[in-house]
């Protein structure tokens, strides 16, 4: 429904696609901007590495990648902040279906993005008025 709503606006410089990000393929230098919002946590660390390498190939030499709403491993206990949530988290790991998905260490992500060929990477704190700002962050990477 969100993609349909965006497509109704018929913006000339916006193209939408709904697919498993791991199966997408685009020609080299296809994009100058990529927005990856509230989705990185649904991939495993190896898939994140592969995705970042692909994204770098798809971006031109003046590209900008914004990764938003990243679960912060160092602040995950701000979310799992009571016995019920901790127990639910532990049970989800045992079941192989972790709550929220992959929590990412900032330094790990900075290093992996840099190793994927991006020239400049910055962590951005979320606005404190955002509902999840106490356990999430954003990242901007430039080619």
């Amino acid at each position: 429904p969100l993609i349909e709503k965006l497509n109704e606006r018929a913006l000339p410089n916006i193209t939408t696609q709904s697919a498993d990000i791991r199966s997408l393929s685009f020609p080299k230098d296809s994009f100058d901007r990529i927005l990856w919002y509230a989705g990185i946590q649904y991939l495993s660390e190896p898939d994140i590495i592969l995705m970042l390498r692909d994204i770098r190939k798809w971006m031109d030499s003046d590209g900008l990648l914004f990764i938003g709403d990243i679960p912060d491993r160092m602040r995950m206990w701000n979310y799992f902040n009571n016995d019920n949530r901790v127990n639910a988290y532990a049970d989800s790991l045992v079941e192989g279906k972790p709550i929220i998905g992959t929590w990412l260490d900032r330094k790990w992500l900075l290093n992996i993005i840099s190793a994927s060929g991006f020239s400049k990477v910055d962590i951005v704190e979320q606005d404190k008025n955002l509902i999840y700002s106490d356990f999430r962050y954003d990242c901007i990477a430039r080619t």
Side-chain angles (χ1 to χ4, degrees):
L2 290 175
I3 291 175
E4 289 173 14
K5 194 168 197 141
L6 180 60
N7 287 339
E8 287 171 7
R9 294 181 64 191
L11 299 168
N13 61 340
I14 302 291
T15 303
T16 62
Q17 187 167 7
S18 177
D20 184 331
I21 195 170
R22 296 168 298 181
S23 65
L24 294 175
S25 182
F26 298 98
K28 187 177 191 258
D29 300 330
S30 292
F31 303 101
D32 59 0
R33 304 287 184 265
I34 292 179
L35 169 66
W36 185 2
Y37 197 84
I40 196 169
Q41 72 262 18
Y42 297 109
L43 300 179
S44 66
E45 288 180 354
D47 282 340
I48 291 168
I49 293 167
L50 293 171
M51 193 72 256
L52 287 166
R53 289 175 180 172
D54 282 345
I55 287 172
R56 177 57 191 98
K57 284 185 249 177
W58 301 337
M59 296 187 80
D60 65 25
S61 61
D62 192 28
L64 182 72
L65 168 64
F66 179 82
I67 306 172
D69 218 33
I70 304 162
D72 189 344
R73 184 151 182 85
M74 296 300 293
R75 297 188 300 170
M76 69 187 287
W77 301 113
N78 291 351
Y79 179 79
F80 298 112
N81 57 4
N82 62 48
D83 289 344
N84 288 338
R85 284 187 174 189
V86 171
N87 289 332
Y89 175 66
D91 291 343
S92 74
L93 291 178
V94 170
E95 295 167 8
K97 298 177 183 173
I99 296 172
I100 297 182
T102 304
W103 291 78
L104 297 170
D105 175 80
R106 293 169 184 231
K107 186 165 182 140
W108 181 88
L109 187 60
L110 286 170
N111 286 326
I112 293 301
I113 292 173
S114 293
S116 298
F118 289 86
S119 64
K120 184 169 174 27
V121 186
D122 294 302
I123 296 296
V124 179
E125 295 298 332
Q126 291 190 340
D127 184 295
K128 295 295 179 201
N129 294 316
L130 293 176
I131 190 170
Y132 301 130
S133 66
D134 62 331
F135 64 92
R136 291 186 184 254
Y137 61 96
D138 302 327
C139 182
I140 298 173
R142 292 170 177 79
T143 54

